[in-house]
Amino acid sequence: MALAMSTALRNARANQITTAMDAGAAAGMTRVYDGIPPAPGGAATTLLAEMVHGDPSAPAAINGVRTANPINQDPSSNASGDATWYREVDSDGNFVMDGLVGLAGTEMIVPSVTVSAGQPFSITSHVLTEGNA
């Protein structure tokens, strides 16, 4: 049998991410990196771009799905490279979670994985599903 959770539990788990993202005094951030993702919370690779979330970072989850509120674009990316993973932190820089960046099939969808230093970089959507596998 596959893992199965109640909708209430799935929502609670998803909402804990929002609580962690919004824990600092200001809005949380998404940092986008190149290369191979480290162990969760491990040493980061090259920081390509950093976007500031709305505050709150997301409304309450529905059916175990957390859909981030619009995330501000980075008007001037830090470095050039191919975006492969992201790290979310609260406004104090505390680790919340890591995930994958892609054009499709990942939690964080971007219009292009190519990041150019000094150019804007944005996120198309950021949806997490706490699920029944």
Side-chain angles (χ1 to χ4, degrees), residues 1-125:
M1 175 177 186
L3 180 63
M5 294 179 271
S6 71
T7 300
L9 179 57
R10 293 172 62 217
N11 287 341
R13 288 170 48 121
N15 290 333
Q16 279 300 114
I17 296 168
T18 300
T19 299
M21 284 292 298
D22 298 342
M29 296 166 279
T30 293
R31 296 174 175 159
V32 175
Y33 298 92
D34 67 356
I36 297 170
T45 53
T46 303
L47 175 64
L48 301 177
E50 182 174 76
M51 284 76 51
V52 178
H53 284 252
D55 196 3
S57 58
I62 299 171
N63 294 324
V65 178
R66 177 188 184 270
T67 303
N69 282 326
I71 301 168
N72 298 309
Q73 79 172 1
D74 183 336
S76 181
S77 297
N78 298 40
S80 296
D82 290 330
T84 56
W85 67 280
Y86 69 90
R87 172 163 292 160
E88 293 196 328
V89 297
D90 68 16
S91 64
D92 296 326
N94 296 309
F95 171 73
V96 174
M97 68 180 185
D98 292 340
L100 298 177
V101 173
L103 301 175
T106 59
E107 301 90 23
M108 185 165 291
I109 306 298
V110 295
S112 173
V113 295
T114 303
V115 182
S116 298
Q119 297 300 308
F121 184 79
S122 61
I123 296 168
T124 304
S125 71

